C-alpha cells in the first residue's frame, strides 16, 4: 500500500486507488491511513466524523463507510489479480487490508510506503553536529520534497485531522528552518533569497525565517534591505502580537548595523542562538 497525505489524499493498494470520493469516507480513510498498522478506536473515528454530536446511528453509519472502503479495496485487489496474480497463494482480501479488531479498525499497509513517515522520520542532528552541512541539507531537502501541499488538503477534516495537520505543519517548518540554516552555512545565501522572500511574506511573524532572510540579504551585499526586513517584522510583531523581536534578532540587527555595508557576518551572529 502506498499512502500520500501531505497534499491531496491518495491511497493505493497494489498500485490501484482505493481513495473514495464521498467526504465522510475520505475522512475515515485519512485517519486510518495516518495511523496505518495501528488500531484506530471507534470512538476516535466517531469524534472525527461528528465532533461530539454523533447521530444515534453513528456506529452503523461508520460501518457503512468501512464497507465502502472495503469495496474499493476489493476492486483494487481484483484488478491486480486480473494482471496475472489470480490464484497466487496467500493473496490478500479486503478484510486483510482493512481489519475489524476489538474496539476499532486497522489499515494494514503490508509494508508499503507513507509520505508522512518519510517526511517526519528525518534527523539532521548527526550531519549538522558533525559539521556536514551539505549532507544535512540533502537529507532535509529529501524529507521536504514529500510535501505537495498542506496535509489532508482535500479532506473535510474534523478535530483530530486538523490537530494532526497543525502538528505536521510545525514539523515541516522545523525541517525547512534547519534546511535553510544548512544552506546558509555552505554559502548559498544568494540562492536562498527568492525562497526567503516568499517565506517571509507567508509567515509574517516567524522570527527565525526573518533572521535567516536578513542574514542572506546582508551576505549578498544588500544591507539596507536586511535592515528593512527587521523593521517590517518589528512593526508586525508589535501591531499583531504586542511583542518586541527576540534578543537574538535584535543582536543580529545590531551586528548588521555595526558591520557596515560591505563587511560579511559570520555564522556566530545568528546561528549561535536560535530564534523562537
Amino acid at each position: 500500500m502506498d499512502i500520500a497525505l501531505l497534499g491531496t489524499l491518495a491511497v493505493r493498494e497494489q498500485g490501484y486507488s482505493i481513495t473514495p470520493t464521498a467526504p465522510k469516507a475520505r475522512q475515515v480513510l485519512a485517519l486510518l491511513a495516518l495511523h496505518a498498522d495501528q488500531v484506530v478506536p471507534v470512538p476516535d473515528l466517531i469524534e472525527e466524523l461528528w465532533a461530539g454530536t454523533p447521530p444515534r446511528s453513528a456506529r452503523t453509519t461508520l460501518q457503512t463507510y468501512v464497507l465502502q472502503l472495503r469495496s474499493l479495496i476489493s476492486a483494487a485487489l481484483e484488478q491486480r489479480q486480473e494482471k496475472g496474480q489470480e490464484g497466487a497463494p496467500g493473496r490478500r482480501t479486503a478484510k486483510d487490508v482493512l481489519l475489524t479488531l476489538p474496539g476499532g479498525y486497522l489499515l494494514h499497509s503490508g509494508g508499503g510506503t507513507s509520505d508522512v513517515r518519510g517526511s517526519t522520520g528525518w534527523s539532521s542532528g548527526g550531519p549538522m553536529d558533525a559539521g556536514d552541512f551539505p549532507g544535512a541539507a540533502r537529507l532535509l531537502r529529501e524529507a521536504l520534497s514529500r510535501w505537495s501541499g498542506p496535509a489532508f488538503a482535500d479532506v473535510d477534516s474534523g478535530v483530530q485531522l486538523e490537530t494532526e495537520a497543525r502538528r505536521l505543519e510545525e514539523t515541516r517548518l522545523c525541517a525547512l528552518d534547519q534546511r535553510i540554516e544548512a544552506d546558509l552555512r555552505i554559502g548559498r545565501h544568494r540562492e536562498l533569497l527568492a525562497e526567503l522572500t516568499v517565506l517571509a511574506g507567508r509567515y509574517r511573524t516567524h522570527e527565525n525565517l526573518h533572521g535567516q532572510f536578513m542574514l542572506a540579504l546582508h551576505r549578498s551585499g544588500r544591507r539596507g534591505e536586511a535592515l528593512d526586513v527587521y523593521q517590517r517584522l518589528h512593526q508586525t510583531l508589535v501591531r499583531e502580537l504586542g511583542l518586541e523581536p527576540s534578543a537574538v534578532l535584535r543582536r543580529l540587527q545590531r551586528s548588521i548595523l555595526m558591520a557596515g555595508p560591505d563587511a560579511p557576518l559570520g555564522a556566530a551572529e545568528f546561528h549561535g542562538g536560535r530564534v523562537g
Side-chain angles (χ1 to χ4, degrees), residues 225-263:
E225 291 175 65
L227 295 171
D228 287 343
V229 168
Y230 178 87
Q231 291 303 324
R232 286 195 299 272
L233 176 64
H234 182 278
Q235 293 167 7
T236 300
L237 288 173
V238 170
R239 182 176 61 251
E240 297 185 8
L241 302 177
L243 298 173
E244 292 286 331
S246 68
V248 174
L249 209 65
R250 293 197 302 272
R251 279 200 305 272
L252 177 62
Q253 185 218 22
R254 286 196 299 271
S255 296
I256 292 173
L257 282 167
M258 294 171 65
D262 300 318

Side-chain angles (χ1 to χ4, degrees), residues 14-246:
Q14 305 286 353
Y16 297 95
S17 175
I18 61 168
T19 310
T21 57
K24 293 290 190 185
R26 290 173 72 83
Q27 269 182 276
V28 172
L29 179 60
L31 195 58
L32 291 170
L34 177 66
H35 301 290
D37 302 313
Q38 303 174 45
V39 176
V40 179
V42 167
D44 288 0
L45 288 160
I46 289 175
E47 174 66 19
E48 169 63 26
L49 290 169
W50 292 289
T53 56
R56 291 183 178 179
S57 61
R59 286 180 177 267
T60 302
T61 305
L62 174 59
Q63 290 170 359
T64 300
Y65 299 143
V66 169
L67 288 173
Q68 291 173 6
L69 294 174
R70 282 184 176 147
S71 177
L72 290 167
I73 294 167
S74 292
L77 294 173
E78 287 170 5
Q79 290 184 73
R80 178 65 175 172
Q81 293 162 27
E82 290 172 2
K83 294 293 185 179
Q85 296 296 314
E86 188 170 5
R91 61 184 179 86
R92 301 215 294 177
T93 67
K95 288 188 176 182
D96 297 323
V97 177
L98 178 47
L99 291 75
T100 301
L101 296 171
Y105 297 97
L106 181 148
L107 188 68
H108 182 34
S109 70
T113 63
S114 168
D115 58 359
V116 168
R117 292 172 185 167
S119 72
T120 59
W122 56 268
S123 173
S124 67
M128 290 284 276
D129 292 344
D132 180 11
F133 303 119
R138 284 194 299 273
L139 179 68
L140 292 160
R141 194 169 284 111
E142 180 182 349
L144 289 162
S145 71
R146 298 175 185 274
W147 290 78
S148 62
F152 323 116
D154 58 347
V155 177
D156 293 337
S157 300
V159 173
Q160 294 190 56
L161 288 179
E162 286 177 359
T163 299
E164 288 295 330
R166 288 193 296 270
R167 180 186 67 81
L168 288 166
E169 176 64 10
E170 285 299 317
T171 300
R172 187 187 72 84
L173 277 175
C174 181
L176 180 62
D177 173 49
Q178 291 192 36
R179 197 225 79 217
I180 291 170
E181 178 179 342
D183 281 337
L184 284 171
R185 296 269 193 170
I186 58 179
R188 300 189 72 249
H189 38 271
R190 288 186 175 85
E191 293 92 328
L192 289 169
L193 289 176
E195 180 182 14
L196 284 167
T197 299
V198 173
L199 291 172
R202 183 178 300 161
Y203 303 102
R204 297 171 61 250
T205 61
H206 196 295
E207 293 192 43
N208 218 58
L209 287 173
H210 281 76
Q212 291 169 330
F213 193 18
M214 292 166 63
L215 195 58
L217 284 165
H218 182 76
R219 288 179 176 175
S220 300
R222 295 161 66 172
R223 174 173 175 262
E225 291 175 65
L227 295 171
D228 287 343
V229 168
Y230 178 87
Q231 291 303 324
R232 286 195 299 272
L233 176 64
H234 182 278
Q235 293 167 7
T236 300
L237 288 173
V238 170
R239 182 176 61 251
E240 297 185 8
L241 302 177
L243 298 173
E244 292 286 331
S246 68

